[in-house]
Amino acid sequence: MDERTATTARRPRDLDWPRASALLYGDWGTSKAYVIGLAFAAAGYGSFPIILAVCGLTALVGVNYMIVCRCFPDGGGVYSAAREHGRVLAVIGALLLVADLTVTAALSGWAALSYLGVPTPLIGIVTAGCVVAVGVLNFFGPRHSGSLAVMLALPTVIVVVGLILLSGPELTMANLEPAHENFGQFWVAFVGVILALSGVEAVANLTGTMKPDRGSPPDQPRVGRNAFKAILPVALEVTVGTALLGWAMLSLPHTLTGEMTARQDDMLRFIGEHYAGLLFGSAAGQIVGWVVGVIFALLLLSAVNTAIAALTGLLFTMARDGEMPAVFARLNRFGVPTAPLVVAVVIPVVILFATDNFNDLAGLYAIGVVGAICVNLGSCALNKNLPLHWAERGLMGVTFLLLAAVEVTLAKTKPDALFFVSCVLILGFLLRAWSQRRSGMTTVTLPAAVASLVDPQVLAALRAPPPDAPRILLGLNAITPVLRYAVDEARLRGAALYVLYVREVAVLYHGRPQLTLRWQNDPRAAAVLGAAIKLAHEAGVSVVPVFASSRVPPAIIVETACTLGVDFVILGASQRGRLGTLLKGDLVAEVARDLPDTIELVIHG
């Protein structure tokens, strides 16, 4: 049974808006850690208009993505939005996001180590080591990245508020200088410091696992309100916080210009040291500087983790859709696609060894994310099937034109960035062509009447057991003695046996729902479910295989049991060791906690 024929194969919606907001803050919230320093390096004490312009663009993009999330409750990133217009455009948007995420991992890691005070000659090597370490951790597929992001986001907000309060008495307009450049030079400087926008793409892609709005029908979930609550507080904090911290930076005396230029990579730490030192003495200033450095370093390392996880999931999603080699869709025993994870680690490391300063990394960043967001908003604005008000469609169109101008400027002024993103696009399309050639993919057009003859929904209906038969759900991920026990129970009770295989996919990026996934195409699922079908048929038991992919297997087991209205759920005793239980949780305990009292749970030891 594939996802088209089983209502039970829906992805569990377990991501609440605070965790989605924290994941977004892990990207947007880090922008202030280096945007104001880059702005100062670009325009000195005349950089305040540039900082305000970046804040305004961030708010504008946030408003647009509130609309995108509302229109795409099953995943609304660039791959989903552009897919409505064609596969090639979707691949272009996805590859632009690949370029962005790889640079995000490298850039965030570099900034994190700058805030920890690592000497500049060593930052590249140490950052590469951190990226590899994060990749090793992602091999085990940690499930609670949202909770970790919440834990890191709250101290960061406290630090930001503390820095604003410390600098409050010293804020002055006296040091602010008008922009010395003409509009063309101002525009180029503005384009050069547009950073940290990709987090909103991750949130848009996660709407497929976001908890539905209250009162939303189960078969047509809506997530507009929850997406609004996830994006709004982050957009407000980032825009207001960045503007105030930029003002605090420009309130420092001109005598510190040289030191500020040298400390552009960890400007917030320098601001904390200076203002705390004025109020409480130099020793207190050093302590505050270390606190600011550690907190922002941890958040930046969290952004590295988010970027690697999102890139892994994006490549996996493309492979599942036939746009990348099939090896990218193969999972390890922790539910993580290994080949995409290797790519997500290797490319940032190569970038780190190819660059020797933070400004070069920042120059590579924006062209990918701005291009991806531009493709997304342009696709939405031109999609007449989306339920958009004329004002919303106009807002998207204006934002698209603005970002298109930014993208053209980046291509003109940053040849290294253009070369980098061109390499990503060329390599991506070469991999796509090779994978499609290997798979023998072809397109066949059939009349609707002919296609309906092989409609899997019709076949599933013919295989369905009688509606009045008792129902037993067996959760199975390996051929174990619990299978024989469940078959015997179904035979003795005259019950229909539903055998559920959940392929755990521990990726952050989900994108568009996969409608062509069948258990026959998954080797492990085919072996397990095939054995269950054979054993049940030999015993004369009516059996229905159910296959689903999920980040959270306990949730899909409970949802399947409730949707089918089963009388019993049978599970084998957990075989996970202590490390597995620590990383993945206790599946049996989580199912027992969430299963309704009307459904009995049987655990076979």
Side-chain angles (χ1 to χ4, degrees):
M1 179 176 288
D2 60 40
E3 289 185 348
R4 292 174 295 184
T5 63
T7 58
T8 59
R10 294 191 303 267
R11 289 176 293 174
R13 294 183 172 272
D14 59 338
L15 181 67
D16 55 18
W17 72 263
R19 284 178 172 79
S21 186
L23 289 171
L24 174 59
Y25 189 75
D27 185 275
W28 275 12
T30 58
S31 63
K32 61 177 70 70
Y34 37 76
V35 163
I36 61 175
L38 289 172
F40 185 84
Y45 282 89
S47 59
F48 198 52
I50 296 175
I51 295 173
L52 293 179
V54 172
C55 293
L57 179 63
T58 302
L60 181 62
V61 170
V63 172
N64 277 272
Y65 269 79
M66 292 176 191
I67 303 170
V68 171
C69 291
R70 190 197 71 209
C71 294
F72 289 92
D74 290 318
V78 61
Y79 189 63
S80 302
R83 192 69 166 74
E84 300 291 327
H85 296 278
R87 299 175 70 98
V88 173
L89 183 62
V91 173
I92 291 174
L95 291 175
L96 288 171
L97 198 57
V98 167
D100 156 58
L101 292 171
T102 54
V103 179
T104 296
L107 185 75
S108 299
W110 187 295
L113 295 177
S114 296
Y115 272 86
L116 289 177
V118 175
T120 301
L122 300 177
I123 285 183
I125 297 176
V126 179
T127 303
C130 290
V131 170
V132 172
V134 172
V136 171
L137 291 176
N138 273 272
F139 179 83
F140 299 99
R143 283 171 39 198
H144 303 293
S145 58
S147 300
L148 178 62
V150 171
M151 294 172 59
L152 293 174
L154 292 177
T156 306
V157 173
I158 293 173
V159 166
V160 170
V161 173
L163 288 175
I164 293 172
L165 293 177
L166 283 174
S167 61
E170 303 294 329
L171 292 178
T172 177
M173 304 290 289
N175 292 342
L176 300 183
E177 299 177 357
H180 303 293
E181 303 88 353
N182 56 37
F183 177 77
Q185 293 171 319
F186 172 85
W187 175 259
V188 171
F190 160 69
V191 166
V193 297
I194 294 175
L195 300 174
L197 292 176
S198 58
V200 76
E201 267 288 317
V203 170
N205 278 287
L206 289 174
T207 55
T209 56
M210 192 175 289
K211 290 185 176 180
D213 297 338
R214 189 183 301 274
S216 174
D219 56 336
Q220 293 181 338
R222 296 188 299 266
V223 298
R225 287 198 297 270
N226 280 332
F228 175 83
K229 290 189 288 187
I231 295 174
L232 180 63
V234 179
L236 288 175
E237 193 277 346
V238 170
T239 53
V240 176
T242 302
L244 290 176
L245 290 173
W247 188 10
M249 174 188 69
L250 298 175
S251 296
L252 296 172
H254 283 264
T255 55
L256 298 176
T257 299
E259 194 170 356
M260 292 167 65
T261 302
R263 297 286 296 274
Q264 63 169 307
D265 293 353
D266 62 337
M267 182 61 75
L268 293 184
R269 179 175 175 177
F270 179 74
I271 290 173
E273 291 174 357
H274 178 80
Y275 285 114
L278 287 179
L279 292 175
F280 307 111
S282 59
Q286 293 298 317
I287 294 174
V288 170
W290 270 107
V291 171
V292 172
V294 170
I295 294 297
F296 270 95
L298 290 175
L299 186 66
L300 287 160
L301 289 175
S302 174
V304 175
N305 178 72
T306 301
I308 289 177
L311 179 54
T312 301
L314 175 58
L315 294 173
F316 169 76
T317 300
M318 295 176 69
R320 285 269 300 275
D321 211 20
E323 304 293 358
M324 282 288 130
V327 68
F328 280 31
R330 295 178 185 171
L331 306 176
N332 65 14
R333 64 191 185 95
F334 299 102
V336 178
T338 306
L341 178 60
V342 172
V343 172
V345 171
V346 169
I347 298 181
V349 170
V350 171
I351 292 173
L352 286 166
F353 282 116
T355 55
D356 57 1
N357 64 76
F358 186 80
N359 288 339
D360 289 346
L361 283 175
L364 296 177
Y365 174 87
I367 194 168
V369 64
V370 171
I373 294 175
C374 188
V375 171
N376 192 337
L377 298 184
S379 300
C380 292
L382 296 175
N383 189 344
K384 297 181 179 180
N385 296 323
L386 293 182
L388 294 174
H389 189 269
W390 66 267
E392 295 173 334
R393 200 177 295 275
L395 177 65
M396 283 190 174
V398 171
T399 309
F400 162 75
L401 293 175
L402 174 63
L403 293 177
V406 171
E407 187 76 352
V408 171
T409 305
L410 287 168
K412 171 72 173 176
T413 59
K414 297 184 180 296
D416 289 344
L418 178 61
F419 174 75
F420 169 68
V421 79
S422 299
C423 290
V424 172
L425 288 170
I426 292 171
L427 180 59
F429 272 99
L430 287 175
L431 282 174
R432 178 178 184 261
W434 178 74
S435 64
Q436 293 186 349
R437 184 179 179 86
R438 284 288 302 272
S439 64
M441 184 178 293
T442 186
T443 301
V444 178
T445 303
L446 296 175
V450 177
S452 64
L453 297 177
V454 292
D455 189 346
Q457 296 185 16
V458 176
L459 298 177
L462 294 175
R463 292 196 301 263
D468 57 344
R471 299 184 177 194
I472 296 175
L473 176 66
L474 169 64
L476 196 67
N477 66 352
I479 302 173
T480 63
V482 69
L483 174 58
R484 167 58 67 182
Y485 173 78
V487 170
D488 290 342
E489 282 293 308
R491 179 173 54 82
L492 292 173
R493 296 177 182 272
L497 178 63
Y498 291 83
V499 182
L500 171 63
Y501 182 95
V502 182
R503 181 170 74 164
E504 186 170 4
V505 182
V507 296
L508 176 64
Y509 190 107
H510 286 275
R512 61 191 296 270
Q514 300 299 319
L515 301 177
T516 59
L517 180 63
R518 297 176 58 87
W519 62 266
Q520 294 92 337
N521 298 331
D522 184 287
R524 183 177 174 88
V528 173
L529 292 178
I533 293 171
K534 180 180 179 182
L535 186 61
H537 283 172
E538 290 174 351
V541 172
S542 176
V543 60
V544 177
V546 184
F547 179 53
S549 291
S550 173
R551 292 185 302 115
V552 189
I556 206 72
I557 292 173
V558 173
E559 184 180 357
T560 303
C562 295
T563 303
L564 291 174
V566 301
D567 302 289
F568 299 92
V569 173
I570 299 178
L571 299 175
S574 176
Q575 302 296 317
R576 290 176 178 170
R578 292 184 178 180
L579 177 60
T581 301
L582 176 64
L583 293 174
K584 314 293 286 183
D586 189 332
L587 183 144
V588 174
E590 293 182 35
V591 171
R593 181 192 63 203
D594 297 332
L595 200 66
D597 295 336
T598 56
I599 301 176
E600 296 188 33
L601 175 63
V602 178
I603 302 173
H604 183 269

